[in-house]
Amino acid sequence: FAGYISQVLKNYTDHACDGEYVSLRCPHRTTISIQSSFYGRIVPSHQLCPSRYPHSYATLIKEDVACSVGTSLQKMLDECQDRRSCQFLVNSRLFGTDPCPGTGKYLLVWYKCRPNEYKSKVACEDDKLRLSCKKSMVIAIYSAIFGRTQGGSLECPYQNLGMPMIECQSATALQLMIKRCHGKRSCSIYASTYEFGDPCYPGIQKHLNVIYTCDNTPLLLPVDETQPPALSSSSSSMEPVGVGTEMALLSNILAAYAFITENPERAALYFVSGVCIGLVLTLLALVLRVSCRTD
């Protein structure tokens, strides 16, 4: 689970030169969320994606290092957004008109892996935000924003008090939410400058927007303080024998569920094959029984 969450929270960066394949991939139960994209060239070829053909020094001087296309982000959204993986060949024809013919270009992509099922909660400034999951599930924070976004928030409408509509966000909101809520069944925090600091000009109304998901993770469930303390090693012989069996059964069920969701076609094939084998064995047993009665 820790490795899964670190992959989800990580900001990925990938690049590919002209004539190469770019490949984006996210872990199980997540999909690609494109953050930004660039296609063109802003650094000399000897620093990134050198030309396949030899160039003289004079040619390198003439190389265009200030060319880009405005359609790269939309192209990446069309090709990869909300998919678990995508791959395609990078060339100028994909992005429309070539902004700098004769200059080798490259594609840069920034993306994250978003859970397939997630929840979003918003709290206005100085209000309390509470997150909770069902029993046997824990909170996994995906993103957190404290401040004022350009689009604003429907839950916390912007009141024009003579202040300009400026976007401002706390740089520590995500880290603080992970520290407070990550791996817990429930948590609460105030959307206040006392907790997150003030990333905006005085007087600008802010809000806290948190995106999270609930995951089945028995090994990371917090300790229930209402339960008696665990027995020491000297009393381990008093532990019920069925506890280990139940945990093993639970682990097997979770593993089987993960396999079925990952490989639905193979699981269906195994199920149909098992049913067919069972029918054949049942038919053989009936034939033997009828033959014995006849004899």
Side-chain angles (χ1 to χ4, degrees):
F1 177 74
Y4 166 78
I5 290 302
S6 66
Q7 288 181 296
V8 170
L9 296 176
K10 181 180 177 181
N11 290 311
Y12 291 89
T13 303
D14 203 351
H15 82 281
C17 309
D18 275 342
E20 296 179 351
Y21 282 92
V22 63
S23 180
L24 311 184
R25 184 176 297 275
C26 281
H28 178 54
R29 289 187 294 174
T30 65
T31 55
I32 297 170
S33 176
I34 300 295
Q35 305 295 305
S36 183
S37 175
F38 170 83
Y39 178 74
R41 178 169 291 280
I42 55 175
V43 296
S45 58
H46 67 273
Q47 295 183 8
L48 181 63
C49 292
S51 175
R52 299 180 178 181
Y53 306 99
H55 289 278
S56 64
Y57 182 77
T59 305
L60 292 176
I61 292 297
K62 298 178 181 178
E63 186 177 43
D64 190 349
V65 292
C67 76
S68 63
V69 297
T71 59
S72 63
L73 177 58
Q74 186 59 50
K75 181 62 178 178
M76 291 304 305
L77 291 173
D78 294 340
E79 294 287 339
C80 301
Q81 184 74 358
D82 296 330
R83 299 183 181 181
R84 188 182 171 192
S85 63
C86 70
Q87 184 182 35
F88 59 89
L89 184 66
V90 176
N91 57 67
S92 59
R93 292 188 298 274
L94 289 174
F95 303 97
T97 305
D98 193 339
C100 45
T103 297
K105 293 166 283 293
Y106 52 85
L107 174 68
L108 291 173
V109 184
W110 295 267
Y111 68 100
K112 295 184 71 173
C113 294
R114 180 173 56 195
N116 292 339
E117 298 180 3
Y118 59 90
K119 303 177 182 180
S120 177
K121 278 199 171 183
V122 176
C124 302
E125 188 173 3
D126 295 328
D127 288 345
K128 191 175 185 179
L129 179 71
R130 177 176 175 81
L131 309 181
S132 62
C133 291
K134 297 179 181 179
K135 188 177 180 180
S136 76
M137 304 185 81
V138 295
I139 298 170
I141 301 294
Y142 174 70
S143 69
I145 296 174
F146 178 76
R148 170 60 58 180
T149 57
Q150 192 67 34
S153 171
L154 296 177
E155 295 85 351
C156 308
Y158 179 73
Q159 298 178 7
N160 190 355
L161 301 177
M163 300 296 296
M165 185 61 180
I166 300 176
E167 183 172 349
C168 49
Q169 298 179 17
S170 170
T172 60
L174 178 59
Q175 289 80 0
L176 180 58
M177 289 303 304
I178 291 176
K179 183 178 179 181
R180 289 289 187 88
C181 301
H182 202 61
K184 298 180 180 179
R185 286 182 185 169
S186 63
C187 69
S188 59
I189 189 171
Y190 280 96
S192 65
T193 55
Y194 175 79
E195 295 282 1
F196 298 94
D198 196 345
C200 307
Y201 291 111
I204 294 182
Q205 297 168 324
K206 296 165 283 291
H207 64 270
L208 174 62
N209 186 5
V210 178
I211 297 177
Y212 69 102
T213 184
C214 295
D215 209 328
N216 292 298
T217 315
L219 298 180
L220 287 188
L221 289 179
V223 177
D224 190 350
E225 297 179 355
T226 62
Q227 298 295 327
L231 297 175
S232 62
S233 59
S234 60
S235 304
S236 59
S237 59
M238 299 177 62
E239 181 180 357
V241 178
V243 173
T245 305
E246 292 178 359
M247 291 302 297
L249 178 60
L250 179 60
S251 299
N252 292 335
I253 293 175
L254 292 176
Y257 176 77
F259 175 81
I260 293 173
T261 55
E262 181 76 17
N263 306 280
E265 296 85 359
R266 186 179 299 179
L269 177 62
Y270 289 162
F271 175 77
V272 173
S273 300
V275 171
C276 293
I277 293 174
L279 291 175
V280 170
L281 293 177
T282 303
L283 181 61
L284 290 176
L286 290 175
V287 171
L288 290 176
R289 184 174 180 180
V290 171
S291 299
C292 292
R293 283 187 175 184
T294 303
D295 294 341

